[in-house]
Amino acid sequence: RVQVIVERNDTLDHIFRRLQISMTDLAALLTVDDARRSLSLLRPGDLLTLVHRGGELVGLERQISIDRTLKVERDESAGFVANIEQLPLERRLVTTTAEIDSSLFMAAMAAGLRDATTLQLAEIFRWDVDFMLDLRTGDSFTVVYEQLLLEGENVGDGQIVAAEFINDGRRYRAVRFESAGGKADYYTPDGRSLRKSFLKAPVQFSRISSVFNPR
């Protein structure tokens, strides 16, 4: 049993060769739909657990997401059998309010928000606020978001359900709505889409570092 942390430019082919595990087993593994889909894109930092015996693959595990894990076992009659284990994930609504005095990221971090949730907040309001140029001392935000719990432990943040951002005295509000077809987007409380013809911030906030304009 060996645990492998995926490195930059790593592929399953590279990993199997490095561990001297049968390439025939790798080919057979990738004929199993769930395994192929779950292993098609490896990211640096991913953890793979492989069990092998004399170069023969016996089992493999990969965490797909917070609550989903791929488990593959060797079956002498059926070849490889893959299952995706789904753990019960609890979603709890949390409300956080913060005032900006240096940068959006610093205020959000002090309020306990993860970076991914801060980026999500900036993306929601990018049609109304340029986060590179428009922030002012005293701007504030309130976010209602999902906190994800696995067996009682906080393991991540989910979607922002509602948010308010006050920029230079102007108040912007957003509410998440999911259609019957499963497509979700953000709207004002009176039902207008936040998406407009022109972006106030043409460069996605996720592509820039935290910037603060003290004016």
Side-chain angles (χ1 to χ4, degrees):
R1 183 184 182 92
V2 59
Q3 291 187 322
V4 176
I5 297 177
V6 176
E7 300 174 357
R8 185 179 177 85
N9 298 323
D10 246 348
T11 64
L12 275 178
D13 186 280
H14 293 157
I15 292 169
F16 270 59
R17 290 182 189 278
R18 193 161 65 236
L19 297 176
Q20 298 183 336
I21 301 176
S22 168
M23 300 304 292
T24 302
D25 284 351
L26 174 59
L29 174 68
L30 295 179
T31 64
V32 182
D33 288 343
D34 281 344
R36 184 177 63 255
R37 283 193 294 266
S38 301
L39 295 170
S40 60
L41 180 61
L42 296 179
R43 298 179 298 269
D46 283 353
L47 177 66
L48 295 177
T49 300
L50 299 101
V51 180
H52 65 100
R53 182 175 54 241
E56 179 183 80
L57 182 67
V58 177
L60 179 148
E61 288 187 14
R62 182 206 178 182
Q63 186 171 349
I64 303 169
S65 62
I66 292 172
D67 60 333
R68 297 169 70 236
T69 300
L70 168 72
K71 294 190 174 183
V72 179
E73 294 182 349
R74 188 184 197 98
D75 185 287
E76 295 304 330
S77 59
F80 290 105
V81 177
N83 293 293
I84 295 178
E85 183 180 277
Q86 181 95 34
L87 297 175
L89 194 64
E90 179 187 351
R91 298 173 185 269
R92 179 172 65 191
L93 288 183
V94 177
T95 300
T96 296
T97 298
E99 183 173 305
I100 297 171
D101 59 10
S102 61
S103 74
L104 176 61
F105 267 109
M106 292 300 293
M109 186 184 302
L113 291 184
R114 287 176 164 85
D115 285 352
T117 305
T118 306
L119 290 172
Q120 191 182 156
L121 174 66
E123 294 299 315
I124 290 171
F125 291 112
R126 64 191 293 243
W127 279 267
D128 296 301
V129 180
D130 185 336
F131 287 92
M132 291 182 68
L133 301 174
D134 288 351
L135 296 189
R136 304 289 188 271
T137 300
D139 286 355
S140 63
F141 61 84
T142 299
V143 185
V144 181
Y145 65 99
E146 297 172 326
Q147 192 174 79
L148 306 180
L149 303 174
L150 189 60
E151 297 179 347
E153 181 183 352
N154 182 358
V155 293
D157 294 348
Q159 297 294 330
I160 290 177
V161 176
E164 177 182 85
F165 199 95
I166 300 175
N167 171 233
D168 199 21
R170 294 184 297 274
R171 187 184 305 269
Y172 303 99
R173 288 176 173 171
V175 178
R176 188 174 189 270
F177 174 76
E178 185 172 323
S179 68
K183 183 178 180 180
D185 212 338
Y186 290 89
Y187 299 83
T188 63
D190 58 0
R192 290 179 290 112
S193 175
L194 290 185
R195 295 178 180 270
K196 300 179 175 65
S197 300
F198 299 99
L199 289 168
K200 187 72 179 291
V203 179
Q204 285 191 321
F205 192 64
S206 58
R207 294 173 54 194
I208 62 174
S209 58
S210 176
V211 176
F212 178 67
N213 182 352
R215 287 182 297 161

